[in-house]
């Protein structure tokens, strides 16, 4: 028998208890040992719940109990999670977590402590909820040099963009629905500004390339500026707009970015809708591999946490090697990455505006939709981001009376 503890009895924590209870027999068989939930740490009271008798408010109870070999941290946030996790690992207890903020900031250090102590720090649930992606990167794709990871890593924004596209609704209306359904938080910033996806691609990039990719270095743009009119143009062009998180390696240089992107209908991520997430990975031997599933929610996330508990129980006192050093990876600026831009601007005279656009951008593809008359929209040729940005500035300066309404990247 192995005693385990859970830190945090919120959505994910209660899901972990539910999964451990519902699938108790098969989980114990797979772990090769009986898993006994001995403590749940939370500062709140939960009268009448199944964990009432094992609830503690004092972390020292868990830390000082030598029978507890595995701890599941599902509190979220960097502190006190970081302090608790570090103390547990230093005491020789394995830790599993769903906490992407913690993993993105301190993953390399915590993995090293686990390695030094012949135990494990596992974090499958931190990216893609229930989708297995960390373990495949760590264990199944180790024959490959990975040169690209691109994913829809945030369910809330994918729900919003899918609904805007399907129903012609504007951002604010769909955001409100996402909040009512409990996908988006009251303060939706982390999701809609791309910060959540940024931390997740930082974790995946660090694992894929074996070095510390700092999330602060990743260019991040959210979806708050995407309008219902942009969606109409995308439809006309045969594109979907998705919030993509990507990192690519070329000639030993890596760049990473989170940004809304117009993608073609034949793009592998085009049909990923609603709260679903998907990640495709490109390796030099295997080619393209894609992972798809529920990227958020109580039970999908708890499924990944419990799978990590099972793995930790199977590997007590044996470290599962991970390829993520504390050495910092310097990312290449996206200024040197080639892109195409979709641009919309106000226009009182479409003919004059088109002439001015051509004088700045040379070859462009104009696009017109019915019932939208006082603006001009076009897609540029593929060019380095730095140069495209300069040209957008030039356009702003040349066309004094008109405003640029949207600039959205277009996948090649
Ligand atoms: N808020 C996240 C999402 C779920 O919407 O995908 C947790 O990572």
């Amino acid at each position: 028998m192995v005693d385990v503890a859970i830190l945090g009895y919120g959505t994910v924590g209660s899901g972990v208890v539910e999964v451990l209870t519902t699938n108790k027999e098969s989980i114990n068989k797979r772990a090769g040992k009986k898993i006994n939930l001995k403590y749940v740490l939370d500062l709140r009271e939960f009268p009448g719940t199944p964990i009432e008798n094992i609830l503690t408010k004092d972390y020292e109870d868990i830390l000082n109990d030598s029978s507890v070999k595995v701890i599941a941290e599902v509190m979220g946030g960097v502190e006190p999670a970081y302090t608790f996790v570090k103390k547990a690992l230093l005491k020789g207890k394995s830790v599993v977590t769903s906490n992407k903020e913690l993993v993105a900031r301190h993953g390399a250090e915590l993995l090293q402590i686990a390695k030094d102590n012949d135990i494990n720090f596992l974090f499958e649930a931190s990216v893609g909820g229930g989708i297995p992606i960390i373990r495949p990167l760590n264990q199944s794709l180790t024959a490959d040099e990975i040169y690209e990871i691109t994913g829809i890593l945030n369910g809330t924004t994918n729900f919003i963009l899918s609904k805007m596209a399907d129903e012609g609704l504007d951002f604010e209306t769909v955001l409100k629905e996402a909040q009512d359904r409990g996908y988006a938080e009251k303060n939706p910033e982390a999701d809609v500004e791309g910060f959540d996806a940024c931390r997740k691609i930082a974790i995946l990039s660090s694992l894929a390339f074996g070095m510390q990719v700092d999330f602060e270095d990743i260019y991040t743009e959210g979806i708050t500026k995407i309008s219902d009119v942009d969606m109409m143009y995308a439809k006309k062009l045969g594109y979907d707009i998705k919030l993509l998180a990507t990192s690519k390696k070329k000639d030993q240089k890596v760049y990473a970015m989170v940004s809304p992107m117009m993608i073609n209908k034949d793009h592998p991520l085009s049909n990923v809708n609603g709260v679903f997430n998907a990640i495709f990975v490109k390796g030099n031997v295997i080619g393209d591999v894609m992972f798809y599933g529920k990227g958020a929610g109580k039970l999908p996330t708890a499924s990944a946490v419990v799978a990590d508990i099972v793995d930790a129980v199977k590997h007590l006192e044996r470290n599962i090697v991970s390829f993520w050093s504390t050495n910092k990876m310097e990312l290449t600026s996206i200024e040197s990455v080639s892109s195409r831009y979709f641009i919309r601007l106000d226009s009182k005279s479409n003919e004059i505006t088109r002439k001015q656009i051509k004088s700045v951008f040379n070859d462009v593809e104009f696009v017109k939709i019915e019932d939208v008359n006082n603006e001009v929209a076009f897609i540029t040729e593929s060019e380095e981001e730095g140069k495209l940005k300069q040209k957008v500035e030039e356009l702003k300066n040349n066309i004094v009376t008109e405003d640029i309404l949207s600039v959205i990247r277009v996948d090649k």
Side-chain angles (χ1 to χ4, degrees), residues 40-98:
V40 172
L41 176 81
D42 204 296
L43 294 177
R44 298 165 293 180
E45 302 287 345
F46 297 94
T49 66
I51 54 116
E52 196 178 2
N53 296 331
I54 54 169
L55 193 65
T56 174
K57 291 183 170 50
D58 188 356
Y59 182 54
E60 297 294 313
D61 289 345
I62 297 169
L63 199 61
N64 296 327
D65 186 333
S66 60
S67 77
V68 174
K69 302 289 184 209
V70 180
I71 293 177
E73 183 279 306
V74 287
M75 300 185 297
V78 174
E79 282 295 355
Y82 171 60
T83 305
F84 287 179
V85 168
K86 193 169 173 176
K87 279 185 176 173
L89 293 171
L90 288 168
K91 276 242 175 189
K93 300 178 194 298
S94 286
V95 175
V96 310
T97 182
S98 58

Side-chain angles (χ1 to χ4, degrees), residues 114-353:
K115 191 175 177 191
D116 293 344
N117 288 279
D118 280 329
I119 47 165
N120 289 290
F121 176 61
L122 304 173
F123 43 89
E124 184 61 71
S126 65
V127 181
I131 306 171
I133 177 63
I134 303 293
R135 198 164 280 105
L137 281 178
N138 251 342
Q139 290 173 31
S140 320
L141 298 175
T142 46
D144 274 74
E145 284 283 338
I146 289 165
Y147 62 89
E148 177 176 346
I149 301 177
T150 297
I152 292 174
L153 297 179
N154 183 268
T156 304
T157 47
N158 204 45
F159 169 83
I160 294 173
L161 292 174
S162 304
K163 191 123 184 151
M164 285 173 73
D166 290 347
E167 299 179 23
L169 300 169
D170 63 30
F171 172 77
E172 292 299 336
T173 307
V174 187
L175 171 62
K176 177 141 194 330
E177 182 177 339
Q179 284 168 322
D180 291 345
R181 285 176 177 235
Y183 299 149
E185 306 281 332
K186 220 172 176 184
N187 177 356
E189 200 186 36
D191 290 319
V192 298
E193 297 293 357
F195 305 150
D196 175 82
C198 168
R199 277 148 185 82
K200 291 169 176 169
I201 195 68
I203 295 170
L204 297 183
S205 308
S206 300
L207 279 174
F209 306 126
M211 291 172 80
Q212 173 67 26
V213 174
D214 286 335
F215 64 84
E216 292 95 336
D217 296 345
I218 298 177
Y219 174 84
T220 300
E221 196 178 304
I223 64 161
T224 52
K225 291 189 201 134
I226 304 291
S227 72
D228 45 346
V229 183
D230 293 327
M231 285 291 179
M232 288 160 72
Y233 279 104
K235 205 171 253 180
K236 165 92 188 210
L237 287 159
Y239 289 125
D240 286 302
I241 303 178
K242 299 287 183 192
L243 183 68
L244 297 191
T246 190
S247 72
K248 291 187 187 168
K249 185 176 189 179
K250 203 177 169 200
D251 305 329
Q252 297 310 309
K253 288 183 183 160
V254 174
Y255 83 88
M257 121 169 118
V258 175
S259 161
M261 190 79 87
M262 283 193 179
I263 59 173
N264 227 300
K265 294 278 178 208
D266 57 14
H267 190 288
L269 297 174
S270 160
N271 286 323
V272 178
N273 291 314
V275 285
F276 278 85
N277 283 192
I279 305 135
F280 78 77
V281 178
K282 288 177 188 262
N284 67 341
V285 189
I286 197 167
D288 294 3
V289 204
M290 181 131 157
F291 302 86
Y292 172 83
K294 285 200 174 144
K298 175 175 165 169
L299 291 179
T301 309
S303 159
V305 172
V306 173
D308 275 352
I309 294 177
V310 170
D311 215 8
V313 168
K314 279 162 72 177
H315 295 93
L316 292 176
E317 293 165 32
R318 186 154 59 90
N319 180 253
I320 304 164
V321 176
S322 219
F323 179 57
W324 177 353
S325 83
T326 48
N327 296 337
K328 180 178 162 72
M329 173 165 266
E330 295 298 340
L331 297 180
T332 306
S333 153
I334 64 156
E335 303 281 302
S336 58
V337 173
S338 286
S339 248
R340 288 161 74 208
Y341 280 177
F342 163 81
I343 300 175
R344 276 173 58 214
L345 60 162
D346 269 336
S347 167
K348 292 189 185 63
S349 161
N350 289 3
E351 207 176 309
I352 295 172
T353 310

